[in-house]
Amino acid sequence: ATMDLPIQAAAEQAMRKGIAAGKGQGVEQGALVAIDGEGRIRAYVGGADYAAGPYNRAVTARRQAGSAWKPFVYLTALEAGRTPGMAVIDEPLTIGNWSPQNYAGGYLGQITLEQAVAQSVNTVAVRTADEVGRANVAATARRLGIASPVNTDPAMALGTTLVSPLEMTQAYAAFSNGGLRVAAYGIQRI
């Protein structure tokens, strides 16, 4: 197996702490997947208590990606020639009859693309996805390993696509792995 017991123990402890910290907000479950640059699953937690509820959230559960989707938008933009220092505008935006809002409310005006990424600015992510093409963002996500159906409506830049923790972990590995896609696996040899 590819599991690393100290990492697995830390993952289980982190899961317990995370659920306890969110209990006041109704958090009862979670999932965690950790892989290395070769795709080996080093830690894997499918839920809070497998004996009490054997549903494997790490693979089976599909939830909206939320802001974790934005790196796919910005990677697509970089591949289209944008640069981190490029000026962008955080301002009100309407696409069709939908107007995205920033989490903190208000707008920052002119900022760099790098600042928009660092501050997870919703309006810039939506405008950028619209300009580089939402279908192109979907193709980037698929190229990195997202297998679930990817919607391409204007809100897709804010992570309305439903994904599993394993899919997102696998796709994110390329960001820390020199751009190389990996396929997650848990058995090295038999």
Side-chain angles (χ1 to χ4, degrees), residues 27-154:
V27 175
E28 295 178 7
Q29 282 292 346
L32 187 148
V33 180
I35 65 174
D36 66 16
E38 294 180 23
R40 294 178 296 209
I41 297 173
R42 308 309 273 168
Y44 184 97
V45 184
D49 183 352
Y50 187 79
Y55 182 71
N56 185 345
R57 285 161 182 78
V59 174
T60 310
R62 297 279 190 284
R63 301 290 183 267
Q64 288 190 348
S67 288
W69 191 263
K70 290 175 185 172
F72 304 138
V73 172
Y74 292 119
L75 174 58
T76 306
L78 291 173
E79 290 176 338
R82 310 250 170 135
T83 62
M86 181 177 194
V88 292
I89 307 291
D90 175 22
E91 63 186 0
L93 169 69
T94 299
I95 298 175
N97 60 358
W98 177 68
S99 298
Q101 303 296 312
N102 288 326
Y103 179 75
Y107 302 95
L108 301 172
Q110 184 171 313
I111 56 175
T112 65
L113 194 59
E114 181 178 14
Q115 290 171 308
V117 171
Q119 296 182 41
S120 193
V121 178
N122 287 345
T123 58
V124 173
V126 170
R127 177 175 279 118
T128 301
D130 200 50
E131 290 172 357
V132 300
R134 293 186 297 274
N136 293 330
V137 173
T140 296
R142 283 191 206 96
R143 199 173 77 234
L144 293 180
I146 298 297
S148 293
V150 177
N151 72 58
T152 55
D153 64 24

